[in-house]
Amino acid sequence: MGRTSKDKRDVYYRLAKENGWRARSAFKLLQLDKEFQLFQGVTRAVDLCAAPGSWSQVLSQKIGGQGSGHVVAVDLQAMAPLPGVVQIQGDITQLSTAKEIIQHFKGCPADLVVCDGAPDGKYRLSCPQALNIATHVLKPGGCFVAKIFRGRDVTLLYSQLQVFFSSVLCAKPRSSRNSSIEAFAVCQGYDPPEGFIPDLSKPLLDHSYDPDFNQLDGPTRIIVPFVTCGDLSSYDSDRSYPLDLEGGSEYKYTPPTQPPISPPYQEACTLKKKGQLAKEIRPQDCPISRVDTFPRPLAAPQCHTLLAPEVWKCDSQPALTPSPCAFF
Amino acid sequence: GSAARREGSFSREFSSLLSRGCLSTSRIDMDALEDYVWPRATSELILLPVTGLECVGDRLLAGEGPDVLVYSLDFGGHLQMIKRVQNLLGHYLIHGFRVRPEPNGDLDLEAMVAVFGSKGLRVVKISWGQGHFRELWRSGLWNMSDWIWDARWLEGNIALALGHNSVVLYDPVVGCILQEVPCTDRCTLSSACLIGDAWKELTIVAGAVSNQLLVWYPATALTDNKPVAPDRRISGHVGIIFSMSYLESKGLLATASEDRSVRIWKVGDLRVPGGRVQNIGHCFGHSARVWQVKLLENYLISAGEDCVCLVWSHEGEILQAFRGHQGRGIRAIAAHERQAWVITGGDDSGIRLWHLVGRGYRGLGVSALCFKSRGRPGTLKAVTLAGSWRLLAVTDTGALYLYDVEVKCWEQLLEDKHFQSYCLLEAAPGPEGFGLCAMANGEGCVKVVPINTPTAAVDETLFPGKVHSLSWALRGYEELLLLASGPGGVVACLEISAAPSGKAIFVKERCRYLLPPSKQRWHTCSAFLPPGDFLVCGDRRGSVLLFPSRPGLLKDPGVGGKAGAGAGAPGVGSGSSGGGNAFTGLGPVSTLPSLHGKQGVTSVTCHGGYVYTTGRDGAYYQLFVRDGQLQPVLRQKSCRGMNWLAGLRIVPDGSMVILGFHANEFVVWNPRSHEKLHIVNCGGGHRSWAFSDTEAAMAFAYLKDGDVMLYRALGGCTRPHVILREGLHGREITCVKRVGTITLGPEYGVPSFMQPDDLEPGSEGPDLTDIVITCSEDTTVCVLALPTTTGSAHALTAVCNHISSVRAVAVWGIGTPGGPQDPQPGLTAHVVSAGGRAEMHCFSIMVTPGPQHPKPSRLPRHAPFVPRLDEYWDRQPTDGSLAFWDLTTVLDHDSTVLEPPVDPGLPYRLGTPSLTLQAHSCGINSLHTLPTREGHHLVASGSEDGSLHVFVLAVEMLELEESVGEAGLVPQLRVLEEYSVPCAHAAHVTGLKILSPSIMVSASIDQRLTFWRLGHGEPTFMNSTVFHVPDVADMDCWPVSPEFGHRCALGGQGLEVYNWYD
């Protein structure tokens, strides 16, 4: 596998590098814009979870060029500077961050808030948090675009979004792979319920399944319409393409546009490169000494590996039935 | 003041606002619901990442999805799983257990356990005395408003640390909030740790997304709900903190972070405000994010995304590293300090138990044997081991030395100047080396030396030129052969026997063999094939050869017939024109040419009816001899990067270990546990080395810097790490296919860990076991047995041939062993697997109930195959259209059996599809067809956009008029009825099965298994079940029996099996 292998397997990765985008995700926002005209009339845009900055690049190119356009990019991680983009290295769950964004817009709310942050790590969600800060900075009628992973509770998320926006759609650009569970919630017409006071300190509208509108396993679930963006003639992200694209110029390897700057693992990588990661004490480093006798070794009885055991069948009802106040 | 209740009313307030949103949602009439509650799927078994682990007395609790597995860690050397408690946390994943401290109670009899994960909490009281497990009581499942990061018992109540930096005191019996205190800094947390045994002294250490640790005291709140300011902020990590652990006795806190490091902080008593915090250790050792950390009295345990569990001292040295989990990381750790055990649970759903040994491994190590001395001139050329305590070495002066490991001294056995400069040295195999060794030189001379009486050595000149290689073959204690390769591919076979006195040995040339021509034409290894009529040899060219062990064998019908190998006088093998010629030598009766590639075969081993070979191609083969012919069964790759396999041993417990060289290290690798049992930094395999293992010790000797180095691991000192549960797949499952069902009689009853009184009545009758194949991104294909009675799962075998991810498997030709004429219990099937890098593999599997084992055993093997393809092929493209091809025009008209193409490896061209149908707006992720009684086909497809498309397809034969030559019938496809369900699911529909013309079942990444009614116009929703496997990629359903109903297997990031009654 040479360095061109990824260029062959992922045509959008390759095109992103050749067009100077920091990540292939730039095409997703471009294709979303083509479908929904997201940038029409937008002068103030916020890019949440911006690093490495490809969406900020698109935003600054599309609206920063209009002279009056302002783009603010927020991320916890440091990001290489981009012309025409104001960067805030901060936490989107902090009120100070929201205030800072508004400050950069000279007190005006934003027309568009986008978030391409993936639910990172083990258990974290980014879209509800992005929506939470968006309620602080978005103008009425504004637009919110966020990456969602369509897992088990996506219908809950839809119902949350529908509280705040007059139109909620689920869109999938062609540059996003079929094999990926990601999609984008395109929410237009910000219209918070009457009397709603934004509050970052509370997890926003922690919806639960509703027996009437949004059932956990019933037929009534909030599933928003699904839109595929990008025309069929665009490249298929699930396919491999030859290096010399039809109608394109001759292939030349392009290095990544912007490698990540100071990622959390930087020190670990430096140490590894220098061979300075801690190593275990190998037996060959210590001389043979007396052998202690250990207790009989444990042994799992096995002919074939048991992957799952028998199920405990509850033969008697629990002595105490759950009290009803848990279920509202 | 219940926050949960507040949230509830909050959402209800907004539900009136939702009505406008409902305009765009799909709603199905509620009235129709009543009729459609059947069939209802219930979860039977799940295999998911292990996300929580806790030792309670001598039991281990493991959280797998919402279920709890209970293991008994008995001291009698017995280790077993007691039970699975289903569905403790509803749809949440279990992240932790907190056992209520019992001041005078005995946790060995019963325990009150708080189980939490995501936003759910439940308390369960269990009793488990005398191996009997009982659930005594369970509370309601309490839903919190936010993620629970930590829980702590404060007498009868529980303190919870929640996701936005608040602490809740909760009554777990009634299920209500007693007190809630937020921090002034309401940032999002990534982890938290609660300290203290009473609300008054409760301390929270919170890991904020700003990478800081916040220490604050909830009890200092002036009134309920009044925010509390943090007492201390601790910075240091440059990534999110995923886990922390506090050791009260030493005043230490450990944190694990996204920045791949673990930090140790000296904090003193954290319950005292304003204390000094000092970072005393910054430990880099992981090569990916660190998920978990745990402080013990003398150790620090950490584990993470790199699948390694590290044991550190409190000073920051790595004492041990536990490697063996596969896939995406270790998710949970637990420790049993008294027993010095660490238990890890992986994303691969495996659970392993490891032994803490302290500083260094006692009884293990490398020592230099100090050969160099004035009395021993010359430099060492070769070394060999005769058993594990006697070592032999030869120098360039032709002197043979013996080293006794017990006495620790060198002794010269003999010196022969004929063996100067070039000398091969091999000790005979056997428990302690048979007391013999052989030397060979460049002039064709072989010397066999009895180690105890070297004066009785026997010389034999065999060839006019150099002896290229020497190897031994031992059959029981009866027959000992020495094979020596000379020029021109001639192998001399010498028979070695000893006089009864033991003082003299006899060497007799029995016969000569001839190897197939190649540039480097010598053999490398040899072994008797039981019962002993044949020898299996490997050669330098990578071929595996089968020779008769005696020259007369083939001509003597008595011997040949008895062995069942002389069937039709297999004659002399391919390569040897003058096979039986005594001058040139016997040819092989069977050859697998270049099986191991150009680098050669390195070892052959016969065990349990199979032949195993290893080679320098990084692979080992399982072979089978049938009718005197070698047949490959299974090719397996060793661990990544180990391309030089040197040998294979069957260790006393019956499992197999692989010897090999990994860069400059010698490695003993266990393929079952994926563990490197021994690692010796010897410099690589090109120098002279020797390996021996006996009950008492394992030894590895090699030459380095003109001296002999000896690595020894004395018996008993390396307690094997225990696999409590093997991992299923390291990565996502991409495809699930059911092969068939085998019936086990009562004699094969799966042993129940519970006593018979627990057996349910009505579970009698034939014990059906489903055989299911899964394949995965981790490049393996796995065969599973799923008994219907116990809800358990057993891994039968894994096939690891693919170089890239395996995407799909197909199964056909299902039969029974012995064929239709003589059916025997069991199952046979052909399997084809396809994966990345355009790779396909085909193999047959045979599953038979083994008489010794109460569970099925397996015999996977490669076989030439004739694939039978269905007449119409459907393709699932990413543009949402379905295409149908007529394969009958491509293939032979009269036959549905496809002969292998003339040019193998080139697929047939499909040409243009005969029908293309735009069914969906984007990619199609599932497809199923069912022939109807009217002769039509019901076709259903599911797409990425969550929609379903169902239509009836008719195949009509049209007479083609304009056809030149013979007029033929041309099939034409016509769509009769067509329906679409646009918002059937909220995500990709990845599994779809038409069970009957009236019922269809679909599964989606939104984790719903939904039944649809067909046949009355639009498919209508019947009911839906939420399952636990994320990212489900495939589903298979099958009817088991009228009593049992249907079964359904869902594969994704885990495996789940459902069943429903028809």
Side-chain angles (χ1 to χ4, degrees):
Chain A
M1 300 252 254
R3 63 177 183 175
T4 59
S5 155
K6 202 169 171 197
D7 285 355
K8 273 184 253 179
R9 282 182 291 132
D10 189 343
V11 68
Y12 283 101
Y13 167 79
R14 177 197 160 177
L15 291 174
K17 290 193 300 176
E18 288 175 1
N19 292 321
W21 300 119
R22 286 184 179 181
R24 67 195 289 285
S25 61
F27 291 103
K28 299 176 192 166
L29 188 58
L30 290 170
Q31 288 176 346
L32 285 171
D33 172 50
K34 220 173 185 176
E35 182 79 30
F36 299 102
Q37 283 84 43
L38 295 173
F39 306 139
Q40 217 165 50
V42 169
T43 53
R44 289 175 297 272
V46 183
D47 183 11
L48 303 171
C49 306
S54 58
W55 277 28
S56 297
Q57 279 183 301
V58 175
L59 289 173
S60 74
Q61 199 192 67
K62 291 276 173 178
I63 64 176
Q66 295 163 15
S68 57
H70 297 282
V71 179
V72 174
V74 187
D75 204 294
L76 266 175
Q77 281 177 31
M79 193 173 96
L82 274 171
V85 176
V86 178
Q87 281 182 38
I88 300 174
Q89 193 177 346
D91 178 2
I92 59 167
T93 61
Q94 295 283 347
L95 191 63
S96 57
T97 312
K99 285 181 175 157
E100 207 179 328
I101 295 170
I102 299 291
Q103 218 169 28
H104 282 295
F105 293 144
K106 299 185 181 71
C108 297
D111 306 311
L112 172 70
V113 176
V114 295
C115 174
D116 191 26
D120 186 34
K122 285 189 287 185
Y123 333 105
R124 299 177 50 231
L125 293 158
S126 69
C127 184
Q129 291 167 357
L131 174 65
N132 208 341
I133 195 166
T135 60
H136 284 75
V137 300
L138 203 58
K139 71 162 191 197
C143 179
F144 174 66
V145 177
K147 179 189 282 185
I148 53 170
F149 281 179
R150 289 185 293 160
R152 192 187 69 212
D153 293 329
V154 70
T155 51
L156 276 188
L157 187 65
Y158 289 153
S159 72
Q160 287 185 10
L161 292 170
Q162 284 185 342
V163 170
F164 290 97
F165 295 92
S166 54
S167 148
V168 178
L169 290 170
C170 175
K172 177 119 178 169
R174 290 218 175 261
S175 51
S176 172
R177 292 194 188 109
N178 170 277
S179 48
S180 157
I181 61 165
E182 75 167 16
F184 293 88
V186 179
C187 313
Q188 286 166 312
Y190 177 60
D191 179 17
E194 219 165 299
F196 172 78
I197 301 156
D199 182 2
L200 271 177
S201 70
K202 279 209 190 86
L204 181 81
L205 266 191
D206 187 56
H207 268 196
S208 32
Y209 289 99
D210 188 293
D212 295 329
F213 291 108
N214 199 15
Q215 296 172 335
L216 175 70
D217 50 11
T220 321
R221 298 166 60 202
I222 295 181
I223 299 172
V224 303
F226 186 92
V227 181
T228 309
C229 319
D231 46 62
L232 279 172
S233 60
S234 43
Y235 292 107
D236 184 344
S237 50
D238 289 281
R239 254 191 72 186
S240 291
Y241 285 88
L243 287 177
D244 285 308
L245 289 175
E246 230 173 280
S249 53
E250 203 186 325
Y251 174 78
K252 209 172 130 257
Y253 175 75
T254 322
T257 310
Q258 176 66 53
I261 66 163
S262 63
Y265 48 84
Q266 193 167 41
E267 189 178 355
C269 287
T270 319
L271 288 174
K272 191 177 183 185
K273 214 173 263 174
K274 291 185 191 155
Q276 286 172 350
L277 283 183
K279 288 194 182 73
E280 70 211 89
I281 304 163
R282 276 281 163 79
Q284 44 264 55
D285 305 330
C286 31
I288 297 180
S289 58
R290 199 175 54 80
V291 182
D292 294 341
T293 43
F294 286 108
R296 208 142 62 92
L298 279 170
Q302 41 203 204
C303 312
H304 289 293
T305 320
L306 187 67
L307 291 173
E310 294 174 46
V311 174
W312 160 254
K313 300 247 170 58
C314 205
D315 49 3
S316 60
Q317 282 299 310
L320 248 171
T321 44
S323 50
C325 74
F327 310 105
F328 21 77
Chain B
S2 148
R5 242 179 286 173
R6 266 204 311 277
E7 286 298 330
S9 56
F10 189 39
S11 64
R12 208 173 299 149
E13 272 164 35
F14 282 120
S15 55
S16 57
L17 298 158
L18 285 173
S19 50
R20 66 176 180 198
C22 286
L23 294 174
S24 57
T25 63
S26 84
R27 292 201 56 185
I28 290 146
D29 200 2
M30 296 283 287
D31 307 334
L33 201 69
E34 309 317 75
D35 312 337
Y36 297 145
V37 286
W38 162 96
R40 184 55 89 172
T42 51
S43 177
E44 207 184 313
L45 138 79
I46 53 177
L47 287 166
L48 285 176
V50 177
T51 45
L53 282 176
E54 185 80 30
C55 282
V56 187
D58 297 321
R59 310 299 193 288
L60 175 75
L61 301 178
E64 178 180 43
D67 291 5
V68 177
L69 308 177
V70 185
Y71 287 85
S72 157
L73 307 173
D74 260 343
F75 298 152
H78 218 61
L79 209 153
Q80 64 183 37
M81 175 132 47
I82 308 182
K83 277 293 167 191
R84 167 187 293 271
V85 187
Q86 272 187 312
N87 205 18
L88 262 184
L89 273 198
H91 301 295
Y92 300 124
L93 299 181
I94 291 172
H95 285 140
F97 304 94
R98 296 291 179 265
V99 181
R100 190 164 92 177
E102 300 292 341
N104 45 7
D106 185 0
L107 290 175
D108 281 339
L109 288 175
E110 57 178 54
M112 188 86 139
V113 186
V115 185
F116 69 94
S118 313
K119 295 177 181 177
L121 169 76
R122 194 197 289 269
V123 176
V124 59
K125 190 172 186 180
I126 35 187
S127 94
W128 42 32
Q130 326 277 291
H132 279 269
F133 176 88
R134 287 279 182 281
E135 184 185 318
L136 301 177
W137 173 80
R138 61 163 79 178
S139 75
L141 172 58
W142 313 123
N143 295 284
M144 300 300 137
S145 60
D146 210 339
W147 288 76
I148 303 170
W149 285 126
D150 197 13
R152 194 164 176 93
W153 283 94
L154 303 178
E155 280 128 24
N157 296 323
I158 292 177
L160 301 170
L162 299 188
H164 280 76
N165 211 3
S166 68
V167 173
V168 156
L169 187 65
Y170 203 81
D171 181 334
V173 178
V174 181
C176 65
I177 290 181
L178 302 172
Q179 220 167 339
E180 179 168 20
V181 181
C183 181
T184 49
D185 188 350
R186 299 228 46 189
C187 53
T188 316
L189 302 188
S190 53
S191 58
C193 174
L194 291 167
I195 298 158
D197 296 317
W199 176 258
K200 265 191 184 142
E201 59 169 26
L202 189 71
T203 310
I204 173 173
V205 186
V209 282
S210 54
N211 308 335
Q212 281 182 325
L213 292 170
L214 273 56
V215 184
W216 57 282
Y217 303 96
T220 58
L222 296 172
T223 53
D224 185 19
N225 233 343
K226 176 98 176 149
V228 171
D231 177 63
R232 272 163 285 176
R233 288 173 181 271
I234 305 163
S235 308
H237 279 293
V238 291
I240 287 168
I241 295 149
F242 287 123
S243 167
M244 48 185 109
S245 171
Y246 176 63
L247 182 64
E248 194 182 328
S249 62
K250 294 196 172 169
L252 294 177
L253 180 77
T255 50
S257 165
E258 189 189 10
D259 65 16
R260 301 185 183 178
S261 73
V262 172
R263 279 181 187 261
I264 309 173
W265 312 84
K266 196 163 182 55
V267 290
D269 190 345
L270 270 176
R271 291 168 297 182
V272 180
R276 211 166 81 88
V277 174
Q278 195 189 350
N279 185 204
I280 58 165
H282 193 194
C283 312
F284 281 100
H286 284 282
S287 55
R289 293 180 283 189
V290 193
W291 294 144
Q292 292 291 347
V293 66
K294 195 170 182 76
L295 269 171
L296 309 181
E297 279 304 319
N298 299 307
Y299 306 103
L300 169 71
I301 318 289
S302 66
E305 207 179 9
D306 57 359
C307 288
V308 183
C309 176
L310 294 177
V311 181
W312 308 78
S313 67
H314 287 174
E315 287 73 44
E317 304 161 276
I318 298 181
L319 303 176
Q320 278 173 280
F322 302 137
R323 296 186 172 86
H325 278 286
Q326 300 278 294
R328 293 170 305 154
I330 295 174
R331 291 284 289 269
I333 53 179
H336 192 301
E337 284 199 68
R338 194 157 37 92
Q339 293 288 322
W341 290 334
V342 171
I343 299 145
T344 55
D347 241 340
D348 57 356
S349 76
I351 305 173
R352 293 181 183 225
L353 185 146
W354 318 83
H355 302 276
L356 288 166
V357 294
R359 196 169 294 273
Y361 307 73
R362 278 158 296 182
L364 271 179
V366 171
S367 37
L369 300 186
C370 307
F371 176 80
K372 278 187 232 173
S373 96
R374 217 168 292 155
R376 293 188 283 272
T379 37
L380 289 168
K381 299 299 283 183
V383 65
T384 190
L385 278 163
S388 58
W389 54 278
R390 285 195 299 187
L391 183 146
L392 296 154
V394 68
T395 64
D396 62 355
T397 59
L400 178 68
Y401 288 92
L402 170 73
Y403 182 86
D404 188 311
V405 177
E406 307 284 286
V407 192
K408 294 190 197 305
C409 72
W410 287 99
E411 179 195 347
Q412 189 184 47
L413 294 185
L414 57 88
E415 187 161 6
D416 187 335
K417 61 179 176 9
H418 293 107
F419 290 83
Q420 279 177 4
S421 72
Y422 180 86
C423 180
L424 299 173
L425 177 67
E426 286 297 336
E432 282 301 339
F434 238 73
L436 284 176
C437 79
M439 298 159 70
N441 68 8
E443 283 88 49
C445 178
V446 168
K447 185 196 281 286
V448 182
V449 185
I451 297 170
N452 290 333
T453 48
T455 45
V458 175
D459 281 21
E460 194 94 2
T461 303
L462 300 171
F463 308 114
K466 186 171 164 181
V467 179
H468 288 289
S469 62
L470 276 180
S471 75
W472 295 88
L474 175 67
R475 182 169 69 87
Y477 288 92
E478 295 152 35
E479 204 173 347
L480 181 64
L481 300 182
L482 176 66
L483 276 76
S485 270
V490 176
V491 183
C493 174
L494 308 176
E495 204 178 303
I496 318 291
S497 53
S501 66
K503 289 270 157 45
I505 54 159
F506 309 104
V507 178
K508 194 183 118 206
E509 185 173 327
R510 183 186 273 183
C511 59
R512 290 191 174 214
Y513 302 118
L514 192 65
L515 297 172
S518 70
K519 196 173 160 205
Q520 290 166 312
R521 196 175 175 188
W522 58 82
H523 86 289
T524 51
C525 47
S526 53
F528 269 105
L529 176 77
D533 298 324
F534 289 93
L535 280 174
V536 189
C537 292
D539 75 1
R540 178 59 187 77
R541 182 57 191 81
S543 307
V544 178
L545 315 143
L546 190 66
F547 292 107
S549 62
R550 317 175 163 271
L553 192 71
L554 294 174
K555 282 148 204 156
D556 180 354
V559 182
K562 201 165 60 195
V572 205
S574 45
S576 56
S577 40
N581 193 324
F583 289 106
T584 47
L586 294 164
V589 291
S590 172
T591 310
L592 293 172
S594 199
L595 189 72
H596 279 285
K598 282 187 177 166
Q599 296 272 53
V601 183
T602 51
S603 80
V604 291
T605 312
C606 295
H607 176 74
Y610 293 101
V611 180
Y612 297 90
T613 62
T614 59
R616 286 184 58 186
D617 57 348
Y620 58 101
Y621 267 95
Q622 187 180 7
L623 313 171
F624 187 68
V625 178
R626 191 156 60 179
D627 302 333
Q629 295 295 307
L630 285 162
Q631 285 178 3
V633 174
L634 193 60
R635 177 183 195 263
Q636 300 274 50
K637 298 261 285 181
S638 72
C639 72
R640 206 164 141 185
M642 193 156 91
N643 292 326
W644 182 338
L645 297 195
L648 183 147
R649 299 290 157 120
I650 308 295
V651 290
D653 72 353
S655 63
M656 177 201 292
V657 295
I658 307 285
L659 319 177
F661 293 94
H662 193 307
N664 57 0
E665 286 170 342
F666 171 76
V667 173
V668 179
W669 183 69
N670 184 336
R672 202 178 139 248
S673 65
H674 310 283
E675 240 182 299
K676 287 179 176 173
L677 302 175
H678 300 278
I679 301 171
V680 187
N681 192 346
C682 66
H686 289 280
R687 23 186 118 218
S688 177
W689 60 273
F691 176 84
S692 122
D693 62 332
T694 60
E695 291 256 346
M698 168 255 156
F700 175 73
Y702 58 99
L703 296 180
K704 191 174 186 178
D705 304 328
D707 201 354
V708 179
M709 310 296 284
L710 179 67
Y711 171 93
R712 293 232 300 165
L714 302 181
C717 74
T718 51
R719 290 174 296 173
H721 300 311
V722 180
I723 301 178
L724 291 179
R725 186 167 76 166
E726 207 158 315
L728 175 61
H729 280 293
R731 302 278 307 274
E732 294 87 342
I733 293 172
T734 49
C735 187
V736 185
K737 283 279 176 301
R738 179 248 190 173
V739 181
T741 303
I742 59 172
T743 310
L744 298 178
E747 67 271 27
Y748 300 123
V750 180
S752 170
F753 293 133
M754 294 297 284
Q755 301 312 307
D757 60 276
D758 273 79
L759 275 181
E760 281 184 39
S763 66
E764 288 129 40
D767 186 355
L768 301 176
T769 297
D770 283 313
I771 305 297
V772 166
I773 292 189
T774 57
C775 65
S776 158
E777 298 242 318
D778 70 355
T779 73
T780 62
V781 176
C782 191
V783 184
L784 301 175
L786 307 172
T788 50
T789 47
T790 57
S792 58
H794 306 265
L796 300 185
T797 192
V799 184
C800 333
N801 283 324
H802 279 265
I803 50 170
S804 185
S805 63
V806 192
R807 297 255 142 218
V809 286
V811 180
W812 79 97
I814 296 153
T816 57
Q821 293 84 28
D822 174 26
Q824 284 157 18
L827 188 70
T828 58
H830 301 301
V831 180
V832 64
S833 60
R837 309 257 209 122
E839 190 183 15
M840 286 173 85
H841 284 271
C842 186
F843 52 95
S844 311
I845 60 165
M846 181 161 92
V847 184
T848 52
Q852 280 95 31
H853 311 297
K855 293 171 200 144
S857 64
R858 91 290 184 237
L859 167 63
R861 57 193 169 84
H862 283 277
F865 74 104
V866 195
R868 191 191 146 272
L869 298 170
D870 287 320
E871 266 186 53
Y872 300 100
W873 258 24
D874 316 303
R875 191 172 91 98
Q876 302 178 29
T878 52
D879 64 357
S881 61
L882 281 170
F884 295 82
W885 277 272
D886 181 1
L887 295 188
T888 47
T889 56
V890 181
L891 309 178
D892 187 13
H893 266 277
D894 303 320
S895 159
T896 51
V897 172
L898 176 60
E899 290 298 320
V902 191
D903 190 358
L906 270 188
Y908 287 97
R909 285 193 177 279
L910 284 178
T912 47
S914 45
L915 174 72
T916 310
L917 195 82
Q918 187 70 34
H920 301 274
S921 69
C922 55
I924 293 172
N925 289 69
S926 53
L927 184 65
H928 190 237
T929 64
L930 185 80
T932 63
R933 222 173 286 146
E934 297 82 41
H936 303 317
H937 289 267
L938 207 52
V939 183
S941 60
S943 162
E944 188 188 352
D945 60 14
S947 65
L948 294 173
H949 199 87
V950 183
F951 57 92
V952 181
L953 191 73
V955 185
E956 288 159 0
M957 300 307 266
L958 288 187
E959 202 128 357
L960 201 64
E961 289 161 14
E962 290 154 46
S963 156
V964 191
E966 71 226 89
L969 290 171
V970 169
Q972 188 168 349
L973 302 175
R974 200 157 64 83
V975 176
L976 299 179
E977 283 177 80
E978 195 173 359
Y979 302 104
S980 199
V981 186
C983 288
H985 281 281
H988 308 59
V989 180
T990 44
L992 196 60
K993 200 98 179 177
I994 306 169
L995 301 173
S996 72
S998 59
I999 295 184
M1000 175 170 78
V1001 59
S1002 66
S1004 160
I1005 289 177
D1006 68 6
Q1007 292 178 229
R1008 263 62 164 202
L1009 183 72
T1010 306
F1011 289 95
W1012 303 90
R1013 168 153 297 173
L1014 303 179
H1016 304 282
E1018 293 248 321
T1020 48
F1021 178 93
M1022 295 171 79
N1023 71 62
S1024 156
T1025 307
V1026 182
F1027 57 84
H1028 301 98
V1029 177
D1031 291 0
V1032 68
D1034 194 21
M1035 174 190 71
D1036 199 9
C1037 300
W1038 62 93
V1040 179
S1041 66
E1043 311 89 61
F1044 191 84
H1046 266 79
R1047 262 186 149 186
C1048 159
L1050 294 151
Q1053 280 182 29
L1055 182 81
E1056 187 161 12
V1057 179
Y1058 274 85
N1059 84 293
W1060 60 83
Y1061 299 101
D1062 296 306

